[in-house]
Amino acid sequence: MKKHITLFVGVFLFLAIGMHFKEWMSHPIEHLTALPSAGAYGLGMFHPVVFSLAGFLVLLLILTLGRILRKVVSR
């Protein structure tokens, strides 16, 4: 469970910094305070969590498929 939480936080930070690098470097507090009025695809202030969850699930699927393939190949 701890590994999954760490992975989710890592995906969250990677996406947040990757998509909004300029905002995080120039004015991070204003960027955070503007979050409730964000209009990203109608998700509002929950868009970082929704997009991070989607990225986390894709990454988890890839890791699970890799684990299954590794077991199949090693037999």
Side-chain angles (χ1 to χ4, degrees):
M1 182 74 164
K2 186 177 178 182
K3 180 180 174 184
H4 289 96
I5 292 173
T6 305
L7 186 61
F8 179 80
V9 170
V11 168
F12 177 82
L13 291 174
F14 177 76
L15 291 175
I17 293 171
M19 295 302 295
H20 303 286
F21 184 76
K22 187 172 74 171
E23 289 84 359
W24 282 110
M25 293 299 118
S26 64
H27 51 280
I29 301 300
E30 291 86 5
H31 188 65
L32 284 175
T33 56
L35 193 57
S37 62
Y41 301 105
L43 298 172
M45 66 184 287
F46 297 108
H47 79 274
V49 176
V50 172
F51 293 145
S52 296
L53 182 62
F56 171 74
L57 291 175
V58 168
L59 188 59
L60 195 61
L61 178 67
I62 292 169
L63 292 174
T64 303
L65 288 174
R67 193 173 299 129
I68 290 170
L69 286 173
R70 201 172 324 131
K71 285 183 181 179
V72 169
V73 170
S74 66
R75 287 187 179 179

